[in-house]
Amino acid sequence: MLEPSTPSPGLAYYYPIADPPAAEALHADVVVYGGTAAGVAAAIQATRSGRSALLMIFGRHVGGMTSGGLGHTDIGNKAAIGGISREFYRRVGEHYGQDEAWQFEPHVAEAVLCDMLEEAGVEVRFEQRLTGVEMDGSRLVALQMEYGNTARGRMFIDATYDGDLLAMAGVSYTVGREPNTQYRETLNGIHFGHPAHNFKNWIDPYVEPGRPDSGLLPGVQDLPLGHNGQGDRCLQAFNFRVCLTHEPDNQRPFPEPANYDPLRYELLIRYIHSGVWDALRLSNLMPRGKTDTNNFGGFSSDHIGGNYDWPEADYARREAIFQDHVSYNQGLYHFLVTDSRVPESIRQEVEAWGLPLDEFVETGNWPHELYVREARRMVSDLVMTEHHCRRTVDVDDPIGLAAYTMDSHNCRRLVVDGRAYNEGNVEVPPSGPYPIGYRALVPKAGECENLLVPWCLSSTHIAFGSIRMEPVGMVLGQSAATAAALAIEQDTAVQEVDYPTLRRHLQRDGQVLNWPEPPATTCLTRLLNDASQATSSQLAMTDA
């Protein structure tokens, strides 16, 4: 059975290994860095394409967010998903006695992914932290790992949520929100005005209400407001997708986190006293009495502003950010069940839930994976934009489809005219499933000729908000590995892979590459449709 080789160190992003094993010199045709579901799909596809595959995983678990608490799958249109991705959801369905399942328990997802890796014969290494790369001109030769391991390959795939490998390989990337003017978009950059996930009432942001000289409450930022469409380096908020259960026999009470500070939730108690209680409203039910609980409303599990350093931080700094998110998210539940200012009815409602004893057993039943919604994004010769999502522009080299709402969680919590205000939320549906171009998965010509990037692909902030769904990541991971195998076969750079051949291989393996174009509409009809879709998105409550 596929398992990490050493005992669990507890809940952490990065931890030193007290007694590391002897360094290994590893080699494979295709080296995949990143144990996300995209990385798993890539490694499986490489072996199915007749190539040896090595999957190097930063942490101790397989599957990223797919097995890390995001059990309520966000996609937009299931018919747009094929290949290994669809196979995974069918195999999860088999576990539950169904044709397929898109809602599942975290441990079930990880077990299915591990089985698929074993069946494919993928070589897997856990606790592999990248420290450097060896290059030969514009070609990657080897990955250098902490404690001395090296991984040599002919092709490499960066399947991380962070884009660490692409950055070390000298590939162009960006962080944050582009200004609308850069690609003539309408939903990028600073975004005020979207009503969802904001405070419905006037909530005072100062430590002493009405007194700006008393300072701002934790989480409220003293930043220039800027204007709609202005670019910055802020990121949409991270959180944990917490798995809860209401089954008493499988329940652990919410822990009090380290560095618990009730002042972090002062905005929340003021919001509750104003008459609004919705912080845990987005709890999607899953099998066996469990949930996938996500952020909802003006104050919830999103740690707005706590992640700006993440994309380019070293591992020690990321560990500090990770633990700050643990403290914030665990503290939210602890506050709701223990603080005497919380109405009794709410305390009883929250106390009915707890952490499931049969999930995340190595990390105190708390998810081991922080939901890194966005970090680096590659900048290549093709940049996926809002125009592709709306299908006013199409690609000529499709390797998969995306279908989810152009979605951004809030990026800043500010003071606006003396009240707390969240900025950055966007929820606008695309025109339907739309194709993602192969060129968005490969670096610019001349930068790195044997690297593919299925997750941190070349896309703007707002387009990435639509693409960044776990099923799509698996689709793109499979397509990237198919292209890697063809690049080896054709003895060419990934930028020069013959697309017609790639397309035939993808279709043979069940990938969905095309979707009928939306019917032409008049300007007036399009405006009415956009207004209707925006209203529907505000009510859907399926925000990723």
Side-chain angles (χ1 to χ4, degrees), residues 161-227:
Y161 291 131
D162 315 304
D164 289 344
L165 175 53
L166 73 89
M168 288 190 185
V171 171
S172 299
Y173 69 87
T174 190
V175 172
R177 301 183 284 186
E178 295 93 345
N180 273 331
T181 55
Q182 186 169 349
Y183 297 101
R184 295 189 173 184
E185 296 175 298
T186 66
L187 300 173
N188 214 331
I190 292 171
H191 195 88
F192 288 101
H194 199 291
H197 306 300
N198 224 316
F199 295 98
K200 296 178 179 178
N201 296 328
W202 186 291
I203 305 300
D204 193 296
Y206 302 112
V207 174
E208 296 182 27
R211 290 195 55 190
D213 60 343
S214 67
L216 293 169
L217 288 173
V220 184
Q221 300 169 288
D222 184 14
L223 295 173
L225 298 185
H227 58 79

Side-chain angles (χ1 to χ4, degrees), residues 486-506:
L486 284 175
I488 293 173
E489 179 182 317
Q490 297 171 0
D491 191 23
T492 191
V494 293
Q495 293 85 356
E496 301 299 326
V497 166
D498 181 66
Y499 175 71
T501 304
L502 174 60
R503 182 185 180 92
R504 288 195 298 272
H505 281 252
L506 296 177

Side-chain angles (χ1 to χ4, degrees), residues 229-405:
Q230 179 180 334
D232 62 17
R233 289 179 64 84
C234 296
L235 303 176
Q236 57 177 313
F238 299 171
N239 70 344
F240 286 90
R241 296 289 285 254
V242 181
C243 185
L244 304 178
T245 179
H246 58 63
E247 298 291 341
D249 294 340
N250 189 34
Q251 199 177 87
R252 176 187 176 183
F254 299 115
E256 178 178 345
N259 305 314
Y260 172 67
D261 180 4
L263 190 63
R264 299 184 89 169
Y265 313 100
E266 180 65 25
L267 273 179
L268 175 60
I269 195 62
R270 293 180 187 181
Y271 197 33
I272 291 172
H273 287 170
S274 78
V276 180
W277 161 238
D278 62 3
L280 302 184
R281 181 177 175 183
L282 192 50
S283 291
N284 294 297
L285 290 177
M286 298 191 304
R288 297 173 184 155
K290 297 175 185 175
T291 74
D292 168 358
T293 298
N294 196 11
N295 179 82
F296 188 88
F299 193 108
S300 186
S301 60
D302 274 1
H303 185 7
I304 301 171
N307 59 353
Y308 297 161
D309 290 349
W310 182 276
E312 298 177 308
D314 61 20
Y315 298 151
R317 175 62 182 142
R318 284 187 187 164
E319 171 65 14
I321 295 170
F322 180 96
Q323 293 300 338
D324 184 48
H325 280 73
V326 171
S327 180
Y328 173 81
N329 272 232
Q330 289 186 349
L332 173 66
Y333 291 95
H334 182 73
F335 176 83
L336 289 170
V337 298
T338 64
D339 198 287
S340 61
R341 295 170 296 168
V342 177
E344 181 66 22
S345 61
I346 294 177
R347 278 188 281 159
Q348 290 179 357
E349 176 186 336
V350 180
E351 281 180 334
W353 296 89
L355 303 179
L357 294 172
D358 61 345
E359 298 289 351
F360 311 116
V361 294
E362 295 182 351
T363 52
N365 311 113
W366 187 265
H368 48 72
E369 192 81 24
L370 178 63
Y371 195 179
V372 177
R373 287 190 171 94
E374 185 174 8
R376 295 182 179 95
R377 300 188 309 281
M378 184 168 63
V379 179
S380 191
D381 293 325
L382 169 65
V383 179
M384 297 294 296
T385 70
E386 177 185 337
H387 306 295
H388 295 99
C389 300
R390 295 186 183 273
R391 295 203 71 174
T392 56
V393 173
D394 260 346
V395 300
D396 58 8
D397 55 351
I399 42 79
L401 301 178
Y404 196 71
T405 296

